[in-house]
Amino acid sequence: MGGGELFGRRAEFDQLAGFLHAARRSGEARLLWGEPGVGKSALMAAAAELAVLADMRVLRASGSEFEADVSYSCLNQLLLPLHADLNRLPPGLREALSVALGLGVGAPTDALLVCNATLLLVKAVAADAPLALLVDDVQWIDRASAVVLGFVARRLDGTCAGLLVSARTGAASFLDPRGLTEMTARPLDPVASGQLVDAGFPQLPPRVRRRLLDLAQGNPLALTELPSVLVGAAYQPVTHAEVVPLSDRLQAMFAARMADLPEPTRGLLLLAAFEGTGDVRILRAAAGERTGLADLAPAERAQLVRVDDATARIAFRHPLIRSAIVAMSTHEERRGAHLALAGAQEGNQERRAWHLAAAATGPDESVAQLLEDTAHRVMLRGDAFAAIAGLIRAAELSMTGASRGRRLAEAAYIGAEAGGAGENAQSLLMDARRSNPDSAGSLLAANAAAFLMLNGDGDVNTAHRLLVGAIETGQHGYRADDPALIEAMHTLLLLSWYGGAREYWEPFYRALRSLKPAPPDVLALASKTFPDPVRTAAAARGAIDEILRTLPDEEDPTRIMRIGTASVYLDRLADCRESSWRLVQQGRDGGAPRRHLGALMHLCLDDYLGGRWDEAEELALEGRRVCETGGFSFFRWYFLYNRAIVAAGRGRFGEAYALADEITHWALPRGVSAAALFAHHPRALAALGQGEFEAAFRHAAAMSPPGVLASHAPHCTWVMFDLVEAAVRSGRTVEARAHVEAMRAAEVAALSGRMALIQAGAEVLVLDDGDARARLEAVLAEPGTDRWLFEASRVRLAFGERLRRDRSAPEARRHLLRACDGFAAMGAEPWLARTRSELSAAGHRQAHPPSPGPTALTVQEAQIAQLAASGLSNKQIAERLYLSHRTVGAHLYRIFPKLGVTSRAGLRDALSARPDEPHPPPH
């Protein structure tokens, strides 16, 4: 139940309604089975509410362990409201039932008399109004009451009464279930579990929410009792991920069936609880060959565990059973179990380290070092939370204050930079400083403090000065193999970029030149492609090719994210898509939020450039949610920017301006100049879409003045075409020509195919010569040009306009039709309307009105459309055509507007109405 609402109980609800309907008509008896905490009582309460709504009289009772030895105690609870109706029974039966219920004085009566008296009373009352008898927890009712209820249940035919009883699955009961229709209350499915949690705990952090759902396994009581425990246990050892403290209710529920187990059996269960994977071989080794697993039998018979012979795995019937086992054990029992498991884990250093740490009773530097090494390994897998847990425990076991401070500082840095730890990271940082850390610890502490500042008040200038000071005063010797120094350099690169001015970059360049023997490959690459790509990125094209080739096999999420960052201004994000999606999935599964956000940023940008605008908007919203829930409020502006440029492209101008203003109002007081600069891009784009070229020119020029490609403002390359077009259309021919000359002098075309497209398009706008047109035609003919769908469509539109004015109508129509297809696929309505107007002026006449008018499909598009119309999924189509499933999705995104449909359902009819379309060859 959640605020009076049942979640995920539609099937059970329908069964209860059916039970009450049958009871009203001709009598009915049912038994509701369910595991402890699964929600039987909530269903019984729902049955009572339904009965009242159906004008039935409701009598309720519930079993109690403390009254199980009192004869007829449950019957007394159930029938007490009918005390006045006892007079309707014949004297003998009335006296027998009155004595049994403790309402009269007399000698004990025969059980059959009590049974008959109860049945007659039920029939008499049900004759006045339909009657519902509801008895919860019958496994605890007394034997005498159970006999009466069983007797009545088998004799309700022809009455207007129903009996519904509930019992725990597997529990012994005095009630004879024969004659009762059985139904089962099952655990909630994942969707309903999530709804119940969200209703009761709407502010639960996503990572805690996921862990709660995994632990509870659909048990409603666990879903409502565990959140407070889990919120207070942010960092737990990886080997203990499912061992959590239990509330009194949960412990009583899960521990009740373990109390009578033999001591050796409980010892084996404790080993299995700490081992975590259920590997029989490890448990056998930990238990000792002489003992083996023979003592596990009582737990198997009690259905606490099950052993899968095929996989040699032991599994607990419910994850919280292991927590109950641990709660019932003593300190020495737990320590002994950990030591035994550590001895059996020689081949798994990670788990061995955790077991030794759990068994340690004081500082132990060797175990602390094992845990620190383990933390570094799990961080490479992207599990920031496990890495933090390992470093915290390693700090607790450290022999010196310096070691403790260094490990706590690293935990604070990981928490601030990758895990979104927020207050926990701040607390760790304070502990590290109190422990008098060494120089490496100081650098890590400064790095952590810089990130905490960003995610706090967002003060870029202070964070930058703090980190520069730590780097320049550190005793690291500028060794390129010093992890703390390299992490600080990556942070400084970002801080300098946020500052958005040359002076921020000078300390970074000084430190970079000092690294010995040379900067690591990704840092060296990013230092050329990210700060000032116009002047330095072209020389890095060979290096990026080499690094991108390693991405398919790369497992380190931090390295993947940083390679993506280094790829942005060389337009190589498409090469990072598969790896970025891996990070997104890891984030959705509970991985480091910062890596999740970095991957979302890169996918959003690539989606915008490639025309996948629906996906760009979805991922931008996801990014905003992760920022808000994952402790990374600083990065929210980036997703506002992505939403703003798509809104501007689609003609939602008010939204674009509002989002841009929100970025500016946030960025300027915090010194985040890069964000404030970015905000001019959607404004320029919206103004162009509205035909307000003066405003468009002002906003584009604010990012980089005409005739200048601003130093250390890398995003100025994204508005070069905007500035030239706005300048031409507002009569600023000199400024437009100056900007084109600046592009040519900087050789921006050498950076990427997109830059070559933009430069060629801008040249055609200002240079009235055949060479410029020939260069643009050559670029547009390149196979990958349409991969930059928005820019390619805009350049074709501008080129088509120019050709029409020069009276080359056939050539103009060719480019305008391609632009029309592109804008329609993206939903870029202002640009689409402008293109259609140009087409009309160029003499193009459509057979149908513009809005539904489909355009021709390419051969590959026709293949994909036909296969999708036949019912194949994107993945199946991809396998047939040897494409990626995301490529198939992108094609369908373009196909729908061409065919005038909005979903796959309309494909078949649309294709049958176009017999001239090319059909795919047989597979």
Side-chain angles (χ1 to χ4, degrees):
M1 298 284 287
E5 180 183 0
L6 280 175
F7 295 106
R9 294 300 190 193
R10 172 55 54 192
E12 290 90 339
F13 190 87
D14 290 343
Q15 287 179 302
L16 293 175
F19 155 73
L20 294 171
H21 179 72
R24 289 171 56 87
R25 191 177 66 250
S26 60
E28 178 76 358
R30 292 196 185 181
L31 171 59
L32 172 64
W33 291 107
E35 298 288 344
V38 81
K40 299 183 299 297
S41 297
L43 288 170
M44 296 292 282
E49 292 177 13
L50 281 175
V52 170
L53 290 174
D55 295 326
M56 298 180 73
R57 186 172 184 179
V58 179
L59 302 178
R60 301 185 65 175
S62 60
S64 169
E65 293 177 271
F66 305 104
E67 294 183 2
D69 295 328
V70 181
S71 294
Y72 296 116
S73 58
C74 179
L75 195 65
N76 170 277
Q77 186 184 13
L78 183 68
L79 299 183
L80 195 60
L82 301 183
H83 183 201
D85 292 291
L86 293 178
N87 293 326
R88 302 171 69 171
L89 297 175
L93 294 178
R94 181 174 66 246
E95 181 180 348
L97 184 56
S98 179
V99 170
L101 296 179
L103 302 175
V105 179
T109 54
D110 182 74
L112 186 60
L113 283 175
V114 177
C115 290
N116 277 309
T118 302
L119 179 62
L120 287 177
L121 180 62
V122 166
K123 288 185 174 181
V125 172
D128 298 336
L131 183 64
L133 307 168
L134 310 177
V135 183
D136 204 2
D137 288 325
V138 295
Q139 73 274 2
W140 289 328
I141 69 173
D142 61 279
R143 182 189 295 271
S145 296
V147 169
V148 175
L149 290 177
F151 180 90
V152 171
R154 289 183 287 276
R155 291 166 176 79
L156 287 178
D157 284 348
T159 70
C160 293
L163 173 65
L164 177 65
V165 299
S166 72
R168 285 188 177 181
T169 301
S173 169
F174 293 123
L175 180 68
D176 182 357
R178 287 176 294 182
L180 280 73
T181 302
E182 296 186 8
M183 57 183 288
T184 302
R186 304 190 183 281
L188 299 179
D189 62 33
V191 173
S193 296
Q195 291 172 337
L196 178 59
V197 171
D198 293 341
F201 309 92
Q203 301 302 318
L204 206 61
R207 179 173 178 267
V208 175
R209 183 180 183 275
R210 281 188 293 269
R211 189 169 179 221
L212 170 62
L213 295 177
D214 289 341
L215 285 171
Q217 295 289 293
N219 186 287
L221 182 60
L223 288 167
T224 54
E225 294 271 333
L226 281 177
S228 58
V229 172
L230 294 179
V231 168
Y235 305 120
Q236 288 205 354
V238 67
T239 54
H240 302 173
E242 295 176 336
V243 178
V244 296
L246 299 180
S247 65
D248 291 341
R249 290 178 69 192
L250 284 173
Q251 185 165 331
M253 183 177 80
F254 284 100
R257 293 169 66 182
M258 302 177 216
D260 297 330
L261 292 175
E263 197 66 30
T265 302
R266 290 172 58 187
L268 275 175
L269 290 178
L270 186 61
L271 285 174
F274 284 144
E275 194 278 327
T277 69
D279 192 322
V280 168
R281 292 165 297 183
I282 294 175
L283 292 176
R284 198 183 301 279
E289 291 298 331
R290 188 174 61 181
T291 303
L293 302 182
D295 290 321
L296 200 62
E300 288 188 78
R301 283 193 285 270
Q303 298 183 359
L304 296 172
V305 295
R306 55 182 179 273
V307 180
D308 188 333
D309 294 326
T311 60
R313 298 276 172 180
I314 293 174
F316 287 90
R317 181 175 55 83
H318 193 283
L320 292 182
I321 291 176
R322 70 177 64 209
S323 298
I325 292 165
V326 173
M328 295 171 67
S329 64
T330 66
H331 168 76
E332 282 305 311
E333 286 172 339
R334 294 191 291 274
R335 186 169 181 273
H338 281 300
L339 287 173
L341 286 166
Q345 293 272 15
E346 290 296 334
N348 189 326
Q349 292 303 308
E350 187 178 321
R351 289 186 173 276
R352 180 171 176 271
W354 272 115
H355 288 304
L356 289 174
T361 56
D364 188 325
E365 187 59 33
S366 63
V367 176
Q369 189 59 53
L370 279 176
L371 268 183
E372 184 178 349
D373 294 342
T374 290
H376 293 156
R377 283 195 297 271
V378 299
M379 191 59 200
L380 291 177
R381 299 200 304 262
D383 193 345
F385 299 102
I388 293 168
L391 288 165
I392 291 172
R393 183 59 178 145
E396 292 169 352
L397 297 175
S398 298
M399 298 292 290
T400 66
S403 296
R404 172 182 167 83
R406 176 175 55 80
R407 286 161 177 156
L408 287 174
E410 186 172 2
Y413 168 62
I414 293 173
E417 192 274 338
E423 293 180 3
N424 288 310
Q426 185 69 57
S427 176
L428 290 171
L429 187 58
M430 293 173 63
D431 288 346
R433 287 169 173 162
R434 283 194 291 265
S435 298
N436 188 27
D438 60 12
S439 60
S442 297
L443 192 52
L444 286 165
N447 216 350
F451 265 100
L452 288 170
M453 286 181 187
L454 284 185
N455 284 315
D457 56 11
D459 187 348
V460 170
N461 188 45
T462 303
H464 184 270
R465 283 191 287 107
L466 170 70
L467 194 55
V468 168
I471 291 173
E472 293 185 343
T473 60
Q475 299 177 14
H476 41 65
Y478 286 99
R479 296 186 311 276
D481 61 352
D482 185 321
L485 175 60
I486 298 307
E487 286 300 309
M489 289 295 292
H490 277 288
T491 303
L492 186 57
L493 178 135
L494 289 178
L495 290 173
S496 303
W497 186 78
Y498 296 140
R502 172 80 195 189
E503 55 267 26
Y504 281 96
W505 286 103
E506 289 172 356
F508 173 81
Y509 290 137
R510 282 198 306 269
L512 190 75
R513 289 192 297 269
S514 300
L515 287 176
K516 302 182 180 87
D521 58 352
V522 176
L523 180 61
L525 176 66
S527 71
K528 294 181 178 68
T529 65
F530 202 57
D532 197 14
V534 169
R535 292 157 186 85
T536 59
R541 292 184 66 175
I544 198 170
D545 287 338
E546 185 175 343
I547 288 176
L548 287 173
R549 280 194 288 271
T550 69
L551 265 184
D553 300 319
E554 183 58 64
E555 297 296 331
D556 181 355
T558 302
R559 184 176 169 88
I560 291 171
M561 186 185 73
R562 287 172 177 167
I563 290 172
T565 299
S567 303
V568 172
Y569 294 113
L570 280 179
D571 293 317
R572 301 297 295 273
L573 285 173
D575 298 295
C576 306
R577 283 189 70 83
E578 292 298 331
S579 297
S580 294
W581 274 111
R582 270 193 282 143
L583 296 190
V584 169
Q585 194 55 55
Q586 287 177 12
R588 290 172 177 174
D589 293 339
R594 176 68 180 91
R595 307 297 172 257
H596 187 183
L597 286 174
L600 287 172
M601 292 174 187
H602 298 152
L603 288 170
C604 281
L605 278 181
D606 191 57
D607 282 341
Y608 170 74
L609 296 175
R612 293 177 294 272
W613 286 4
D614 283 349
E615 182 176 274
E617 293 198 280
E618 290 172 10
L619 294 182
L621 289 172
E622 180 178 348
R624 188 195 68 183
R625 289 194 299 271
V626 176
C627 288
E628 292 169 352
T629 60
F632 286 103
S633 57
F634 178 85
F635 298 103
R636 183 173 174 271
W637 73 267
Y638 203 97
F639 298 102
L640 297 179
Y641 163 74
N642 280 280
R643 289 171 55 202
I645 53 178
V646 174
R650 286 185 156 168
R652 303 197 305 266
F653 302 124
E655 179 184 342
Y657 286 123
L659 290 168
D661 289 347
E662 188 175 350
I663 295 170
T664 302
H665 293 158
W666 174 87
L668 289 179
R670 294 168 172 81
V672 191
S673 298
L677 198 68
F678 270 51
H680 287 292
H681 183 193
R683 293 186 183 114
L685 197 59
L688 283 170
Q690 291 174 300
E692 296 179 0
F693 302 111
E694 290 283 348
F697 178 81
R698 287 198 307 273
H699 290 301
M703 296 187 73
S704 186
V708 177
L709 298 181
S711 171
H712 294 83
H715 221 64
C716 73
T717 59
W718 285 46
V719 293
M720 293 184 301
F721 189 79
D722 301 310
L723 191 149
V724 172
E725 183 181 20
V728 168
R729 289 180 170 272
S730 60
R732 294 179 171 88
T733 308
V734 173
E735 289 88 341
R737 188 177 294 273
H739 213 63
V740 168
E741 289 303 323
M743 294 163 64
R744 298 174 79 173
E747 297 181 343
V748 295
L751 294 179
S752 70
R754 184 169 79 96
M755 292 294 105
L757 170 68
I758 289 173
Q759 180 173 317
E763 287 176 349
V764 163
L765 285 175
V766 299
L767 302 178
D768 189 14
D769 61 62
D771 289 343
R773 295 186 185 186
R775 283 194 296 272
L776 179 55
E777 288 282 9
V779 170
L780 289 172
E782 288 289 328
T785 297
D786 281 334
R787 183 245 179 284
W788 320 108
L789 190 58
F790 188 47
E791 260 109 1
S793 299
R794 286 185 61 192
V795 169
R796 288 185 186 279
L797 169 58
F799 194 21
E801 290 172 333
R802 184 63 180 266
L803 289 168
R804 182 183 67 80
R805 288 197 301 274
D806 292 345
R807 303 187 184 281
S808 299
E811 288 299 301
R813 287 194 295 269
R814 178 169 62 87
H815 287 291
L816 292 170
L817 284 169
R818 294 286 295 275
C820 193
D821 286 352
F823 292 136
M826 291 177 286
E829 291 301 328
W831 314 95
L832 182 59
R834 183 171 140 193
T835 308
R836 285 173 172 160
S837 176
E838 278 296 318
L839 273 170
S840 179
H844 179 69
R845 295 293 178 265
Q846 294 177 304
H848 302 286
S851 53
T855 55
L857 303 183
T858 66
V859 172
Q860 188 173 66
E861 287 173 341
Q863 288 178 312
I864 291 171
Q866 291 284 354
L867 292 171
S870 71
L872 295 184
S873 67
N874 285 11
K875 184 177 180 182
Q876 291 168 323
I877 297 170
E879 289 170 352
R880 289 200 178 194
L881 300 182
Y882 305 103
L883 303 169
S884 76
H885 66 281
R886 291 195 181 94
T887 298
V888 172
H891 276 295
L892 285 172
Y893 190 65
R894 295 178 177 87
I895 289 167
F896 288 168
K898 286 187 177 186
L899 296 182
V901 300
T902 58
S903 68
R904 299 170 83 100
L907 282 176
R908 186 186 299 274
D909 292 340
L911 290 172
S912 64
R914 294 164 63 91
D916 57 321
E917 286 296 346
H919 292 277
H923 177 62

